[in-house]
């Protein structure tokens, strides 16, 4: 096999964000763009020669050509074996599962997650390390440094691999194994949950609806819910992964998962509804006419973990990202375990999971997971809920309301302003920062500011420091507002405003969070001048 060395020049925009490098498809289609990033990744790694690399993606437009390029570059760079999901399909948690199970040195996951796909949509590349999790910042920084100076890349001159046929082929010295995308992941799920009890639930009167939004979880959800667990055929909707997600926005929230929301908030709604995102790591949980806030879902999963076989032995601890509500902190306190607060992005949970400091962790952005892999895991969360429902024999709403009665309710909401002018967004953040020295102690409306800071995190395991992780204004009654700019968008800026207040009184729990949080919402606008600077009357998405 001939190996070609191709001359190239650097691109100046290959800095990975919250979760890998994300750009619009035409950016990735520029000559050498993908190749530069992949070669920079190999250049910044050590000791991978002859070892295994996992490769797969969420099936979006450009997945297949990108995989062919990556396989040829992996062969040229001395990788021993590449494991690829059939058809190029691997959900993010399934890729994490394979990396761990087969002792791969890492994995390349092709996805822009919840961003739209298609020729004009987004594409993304993420590198995961040997624990199965997203590369930590020191690795992504090294990759970025490499992209600034790259002059050449290596690629094998070989024919394309038939990604649809299971089995092994060679690209020169490198073996390519095309594996079943679902089998290993499904086996892992079966080892964690009580499939017998869930099957009894699903075969009874219980009605469930799983919307895969034409993204990656379709084949996984059909194999697990309809085949292994006996749910009615048709339980999984939009179950065929499409390159453009059927024109939709594969983001499981109340705005973009509108069909499911309509079903679950209609008359004669099913008992349980769920959706997942482009690459299968997010989940939204709904009951009959009931929305479960992801922060509450995390708290509830932690509080009910003893009902689930894989977690019966107890949790070592829990963690949440900083903007996630403090509902899980209350569970941790009641159960006498540690609760860690990390910056946004799953990469920050890796060290805590590896060191067995935590078993379960999550983010407000519809992400929940555990030490079974090193990514958030959408279907895992759905199965966790089904296992709890099978054990408790109550409705989703009853379980959540009961949780609030025990722990109090953390009212919580996230307001996203998508596609805002970047300069204005930066001005808004700078304007907030400027107030930080004078805010503490000040009265704002009915609130008194307790602290105002730019969140900084010191990893308790390796001591690494991550700064500028979001602006927080905390009040003396425990309420908070947090401001962040998204690190996953590809156009303009997305401002995220996170709002939280705590209500111990059960008589006041059944209020709409937008009502309960209204004073904070008004205050946030006043303090940050959101409307004035963004020119927007209302957020694009409210969760
Ligand atoms: C968003 C979420 C964050 C999540 C990240 C990746 O990041 O807020 O919680 O970890 O997406 O999720 P940002 O920087 O846009 O706020 V996914 O499903 O893309 O892997
Ligand atoms: Co995702």
């Amino acid at each position: 096999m001939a190996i070609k060395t191709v001359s190239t020049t650097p691109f100046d925009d290959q800095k990975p964000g919250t979760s890998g490098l994300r750009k619009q498809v035409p950016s990735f289609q520029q000559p050498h763009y993908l190749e530069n990033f992949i070669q920079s990744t190999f250049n910044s790694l050590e000791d991978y020669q002859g070892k295994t690399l996992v490769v797969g993606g969420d099936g979006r437009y450009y997945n297949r050509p990108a995989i062919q390029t990556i396989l040829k570059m992996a062969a040229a760079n001395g990788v021993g074996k590449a494991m690829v999901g059939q058809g190029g399909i691997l959900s993010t948690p399934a890729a994490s599962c394979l990396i761990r199970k087969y002792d791969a040195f890492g994995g390349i996951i092709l996805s822009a997650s919840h961003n739209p796909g298609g020729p004009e949509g987004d594409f993304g590349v993420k590198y995961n390390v040997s624990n199965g999790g997203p590369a930590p910042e020191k690795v992504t920084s090294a990759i970025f440094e490499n992209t600034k100076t790259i002059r050449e890349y290596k690629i094998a001159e070989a024919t394309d691999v038939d990604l649809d046929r299971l089995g092994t082929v060679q690209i020169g010295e490198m073996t390519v194994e095309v594996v079943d995308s679902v089998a290993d992941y499904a086996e892992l799920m079966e080892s964690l949950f009580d499939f017998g009890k869930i099957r009894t639930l699903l075969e009874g009167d219980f009605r469930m609806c799983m919307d895969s939004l034409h993204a990656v979880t379709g084949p996984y959800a059909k194999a697990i819910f309809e085949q292994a667990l006996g749910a009615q055929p048709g339980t999984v909707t939009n179950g065929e992964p499409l390159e453009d997600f059927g024109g939709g926005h594969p983001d499981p929230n109340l705005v973009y998962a509108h069909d499911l929301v309509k079903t679950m908030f209609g008359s004669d709604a099913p008992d349980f509804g769920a959706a997942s995102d482009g690459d299968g790591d997010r989940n939204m949980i709904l009951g009959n006419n009931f929305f479960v806030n992801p922060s509450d879902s995390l708290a509830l999963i932690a509080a009910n973990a003893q009902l689930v076989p894989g977690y019966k032995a107890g949790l070592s601890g829990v963690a949440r990202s900083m903007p996630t509500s403090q509902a899980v902190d209350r569970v941790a306190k009641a159960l006498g375990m540690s609760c860690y607060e990390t910056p946004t992005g799953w990469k920050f949970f890796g060290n805590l999971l590896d060191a067995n400091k935590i078993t379960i962790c999550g983010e407000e952005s519809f992400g929940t997971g555990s030490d079974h892999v090193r990514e958030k895991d959408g279907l895992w969360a759905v199965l966790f809920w089904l296992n709890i429902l099978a054990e408790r024999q109550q409705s989703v709403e009853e379980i959540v309301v009961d949780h609030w009665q025990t722990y109090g309710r953390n009212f919580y909401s996230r307001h996203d302003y998508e596609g805002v002018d970047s300069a204005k967004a930066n001005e808004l953040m700078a304007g907030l920062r400027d107030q930080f020295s004078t805010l503490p102690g000040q009265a704002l409306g009915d609130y008194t500011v307790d602290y105002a800071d730019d969140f900084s995190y010191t990893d308790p395991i390796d001591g690494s420091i991550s700064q500028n992780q979001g602006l927080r204004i905390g009040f003396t009654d425990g309420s908070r507002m947090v401001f962040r700019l998204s690190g996953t968008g590809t156009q303009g800026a997305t401002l995220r405003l996170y709002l939280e207040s705590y209500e111990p009184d059960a008589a006041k729990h059944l209020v709409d969070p937008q009502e309960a949080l209204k004073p904070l919402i008004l205050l946030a606008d006043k303090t940050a001048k959101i409307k004035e600077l963004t020119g927007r009357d209302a957020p694009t998405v409210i969760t």
Side-chain angles (χ1 to χ4, degrees), residues 18-19 22 113-114 277 279 281-282 344-346 363-365 376 414 484 486-488 496 498:
T18 313
S19 183
R22 284 191 196 166
S113 187
H114 51 287
D277 72 333
D279 61 331
D281 56 0
R282 297 184 178 204
T344 293
W346 211 261
E363 299 189 275
E364 47 64 42
S365 53
K376 56 187 184 275
R414 181 174 111 179
R484 266 187 77 244
S486 158
T488 59
R496 304 200 197 285
Y498 310 83

Side-chain angles (χ1 to χ4, degrees), residues 503-538:
E503 178 54 73
D505 182 358
K508 297 180 186 158
H509 283 166
L510 301 181
V511 178
D512 175 359
Q514 301 310 316
E515 273 308 309
L517 294 165
K518 198 155 202 172
L520 276 180
I521 295 171
L522 295 173
L523 204 55
D525 184 54
K526 202 168 156 200
T527 313
K529 301 201 180 82
I530 300 174
K531 282 189 187 137
E532 185 186 323
L533 288 168
T534 64
R536 301 282 175 80
D537 274 347

